[in-house]
Amino acid sequence: GLLFILEEERKNCAMITSEELAEHLAEWSRLSRKHGISPYLLPSCHASLRRELDGNLEAKTMLPLARKAEKEAFQQWQQSCQSLSKVRSEVAINLSKLVSRRLPSLGM
């Protein structure tokens, strides 16, 4: 039963001294105080922090691609602005010519 399983697990564990065990327990207590959680929640907290760190690494690898896409989008925007300004200038010139031709007929 359970006693047999526990004895087998103890045999499979690496033998550590009581001082090493005390150090491990002290470290667990320190970490649980640092994170403000129960010592029993440390494994899930560690897993969560690991996922966050891995996500940050993924973001760092994606950053150069995002910067390149931003640069391309900015260049496209600038070209669109220049095209729009050119068309507006052409329309303004045509409008000015039309108004200038119509003014004499209005007696102005």
Side-chain angles (χ1 to χ4, degrees), residues 61-89:
T61 60
M62 294 173 60
L63 184 60
L65 296 174
R67 285 186 174 157
K68 181 181 177 188
E70 178 189 24
K71 183 179 179 180
E72 291 171 358
F74 181 72
Q75 289 173 347
Q76 184 178 9
W77 175 76
Q78 281 183 318
Q79 289 173 351
S80 297
C81 287
Q82 289 171 351
S83 297
L84 180 61
S85 292
K86 182 179 176 184
V87 170
R88 284 180 173 171
S89 293

Side-chain angles (χ1 to χ4, degrees), residues 43-55:
S44 61
C45 179
H46 174 74
S48 174
L49 291 172
R50 175 57 55 194
R51 282 191 303 276
E52 183 179 332
L53 178 62
D54 292 343

